Amino acid sequence: MEQAATSKLLFGPDMLQNPFPVYHKLQQTDPVRWDDRLHAWVVTRYSDVSAVMKDRRFSSDRVTMARGRYADKYQPVFDLLSRVMLQTDDPRHKRLRDHVHSAFTRTAAENYAEKIRSLCSTLLEAGRAGGQMEFVSDFAAPLPILVISEIVGIPAEERDQIKIWCDAFSTVALNFYVHLSDEQLDYCSAQIDAFRSYLINKVEVARRSPGSDLISSLTMAADEGHSLDLDELVANCVLLLNAGNETTTCLLANGLGLLLENPDQMKLLRAEPERIPNAIEEILRLQGPVQFLGRIATQDVDVGGKPIKAGDMVLTVLGAANRDPDVFDQPDRFNIMRSPLHQLGFGTGPHLCAGIQLARLEAKIAFEALLENVPNIELATEKLVYGKNYNMRCLAQLPIRVD
């Protein structure tokens, strides 16, 4: 495949449904390749992706580099993004991450296991009442926002609005260093500004009357250690609400889609539900929500034999690395018994996903509830269709027949 042809295909419309042939071709022909259209190095081999993500010579501060390509009226959005810990480097990253971990210690996710089980049962009971359900809208989408809202401290009547705001933030946060249109930014900027104002009010309430929720824990930890200013506190509340929302929706939807497309694996998982944690790792490997992460070289670095210059953008393609045939036998096959299974769906290195334990816990309980409470599940469509976000791979719908 020629350079020009590959550049045209990379993030072209066909990749929304199936990006993996392009990924495989890049791995075979040029696993560390400069793309003129993206103005970035595209890294697809597992060893190189892992190395870049662990190497502190590559910065996560994508905001500083990318924000200049967007108009002044959108800069408040990038001001907020620049304070999210995923977009920062040490020592600021460590300070923000330590603070969030401290708050999570006060508000242990494990304490919500029974609540998660109850929510799963309620959603499944309501969704399957007529013998059919649209799994994404009836279960996979509402469950994560209900769970993270419960942990963070969002009242039930406000959660639909939080979902809208989170989706807008996700669109910007996952795609701004590749490309966003003015139309997307006009909409998302307004939503994010409203989100910010809402959370400032929540922080002020938590300061006056703290509760046991995560916003109160974050606020108390910030005030005790004087470790975060208001803008940093709000930005990372946005991150936590978002991180506990859309990616988990995609993990659940893509996971059930894989199980329904591979009935032998569904049968095995029903017979041996203790394999659910390993099945979740295999889902993240084969159909992980986040397809790529950007890094910026802070000095000249060699990656895979290619000279990366200081200031160059590098796109580490997790979706490609997780199907590298040099690391995974039969990489395109869904195998819940696969071992060892060191997938990169949550990232690796200093920016390993902070919500990793909550995501795994939520997915484990959700699949347990699904297999226990729904004895028979069948696809009610001939074709699975994925959404239109290149960097949030997720089934748009998953209609199923249930007993």
Side-chain angles (χ1 to χ4, degrees):
M1 189 179 294
E2 297 295 329
Q3 163 77 24
T6 304
S7 296
K8 185 177 180 180
L9 286 172
L10 196 59
F11 306 122
D14 290 344
M15 283 190 67
L16 289 171
Q17 296 309 310
N18 186 11
F20 304 109
V22 175
Y23 293 165
H24 283 318
K25 192 66 178 178
L26 284 170
Q27 280 179 336
Q28 294 164 9
T29 60
D30 202 353
V32 181
R33 135 179 245 156
W34 176 259
D35 189 287
D36 286 328
R37 186 171 58 87
L38 297 172
H39 302 289
W41 293 93
V42 180
V43 181
T44 51
R45 194 162 47 195
Y46 184 102
S47 58
D48 296 326
V49 168
S50 179
V52 168
M53 297 185 73
K54 292 176 180 177
D55 192 333
R56 295 181 184 273
R57 292 174 296 177
F58 290 93
S59 170
S60 291
D61 180 11
R62 293 149 288 209
V63 178
T64 298
M65 179 178 182
R67 68 190 300 168
R69 72 179 70 157
Y70 299 103
D72 289 346
K73 65 178 179 178
Y74 303 127
Q75 294 309 308
V77 171
F78 295 104
D79 289 340
L80 184 142
L81 271 173
S82 70
R83 295 178 174 94
V84 169
M85 64 180 178
L86 293 181
Q87 307 288 348
T88 62
D89 299 316
D90 288 341
R92 190 182 194 187
H93 170 258
K94 185 178 186 304
R95 173 172 61 83
L96 294 173
R97 190 179 178 93
D98 287 351
H99 179 84
V100 170
H101 278 196
S102 173
F104 260 116
T105 299
R106 298 178 186 222
T107 312
E110 290 77 7
N111 294 340
Y112 289 86
E114 287 307 316
K115 180 65 175 179
I116 296 171
R117 289 189 183 92
S118 176
L119 288 170
C120 287
S121 296
T122 299
L123 290 170
L124 287 173
E125 188 66 26
R128 66 182 182 150
Q132 292 195 30
M133 67 186 293
E134 201 294 283
F135 184 72
V136 177
S137 60
D138 290 342
F139 186 90
L143 178 65
I145 196 65
L146 289 171
V147 172
I148 195 63
S149 295
E150 187 79 22
I151 294 172
V152 173
I154 305 298
E157 64 273 14
E158 297 171 0
R159 290 171 187 176
D160 287 345
Q161 181 60 64
I162 292 292
K163 170 68 173 164
I164 293 170
W165 286 335
C166 282
D167 289 348
F169 176 79
S170 176
T171 296
V172 176
L174 290 172
N175 295 287
F176 75 91
Y177 49 90
V178 178
H179 174 71
L180 284 170
S181 68
D182 286 355
E183 182 181 16
Q184 287 175 307
L185 276 170
D186 285 336
Y187 170 77
C188 292
S189 294
Q191 298 297 326
I192 291 170
D193 184 60
F195 200 2
R196 180 179 178 276
S197 298
Y198 170 88
L199 287 171
I200 287 174
N201 180 64
K202 287 291 182 185
V203 169
E204 290 172 350
V205 170
R207 282 194 168 124
R208 294 194 301 269
S209 180
S212 59
D213 56 86
L214 190 57
I215 286 181
S216 294
S217 296
L218 282 164
T219 302
M220 287 189 290
D223 290 348
E224 289 170 4
H226 304 288
S227 54
L228 268 72
D229 61 31
L230 178 62
D231 288 331
E232 289 175 329
L233 181 57
V234 168
N236 286 282
C237 283
V238 170
L239 172 67
L240 290 171
L241 279 163
N242 192 77
N245 170 30
E246 192 170 12
T247 50
T248 307
T249 291
C250 300
L251 170 58
L252 297 175
N254 295 352
L256 182 58
L258 281 170
L259 287 166
L260 292 172
E261 288 186 309
N262 297 270
D264 61 320
Q265 299 297 295
M266 174 75 91
K267 182 178 179 180
L268 175 59
L269 201 59
R270 284 191 182 280
E272 302 179 35
E274 65 273 14
R275 296 190 184 276
I276 288 176
N278 201 69
I280 291 168
E281 300 304 302
E282 176 70 343
I283 292 163
L284 286 163
R285 183 193 72 81
L286 202 64
Q287 293 283 16
V290 179
Q291 289 291 290
F292 60 86
L293 291 171
R295 295 290 186 267
I296 301 165
T298 60
Q299 55 185 278
D300 294 352
V301 185
D302 180 276
V303 176
K306 296 293 182 69
I308 312 297
K309 299 296 184 183
D312 283 355
M313 172 71 76
V314 177
L315 290 184
T316 57
V317 187
L318 310 182
N322 278 333
R323 295 190 183 216
D324 189 335
D326 289 340
V327 178
F328 303 102
D329 182 50
Q330 296 182 285
D332 294 323
R333 180 184 170 222
F334 181 49
N335 177 12
I336 66 169
M337 297 182 68
R338 188 182 296 275
S339 180
L341 184 46
H342 304 299
Q343 54 82 23
L344 299 176
F346 284 119
T348 189
H351 283 80
L352 179 70
C353 175
I356 186 172
Q357 297 307 324
L358 176 60
R360 283 173 169 152
L361 174 68
E362 197 170 332
K364 177 178 179 290
I365 293 173
F367 282 115
E368 285 174 347
L370 194 64
L371 297 180
E372 289 171 6
N373 295 308
V374 189
N376 186 52
I377 309 172
E378 296 177 354
L379 268 176
T381 180
E382 294 183 358
K383 182 181 180 181
L384 297 180
V385 178
Y386 288 83
K388 296 182 179 181
N389 189 334
Y390 291 106
N391 202 17
M392 185 56 67
R393 183 161 177 79
C394 188
L395 285 171
Q397 294 182 322
L398 184 56
I400 57 176
R401 288 184 289 272
V402 296
D403 288 340

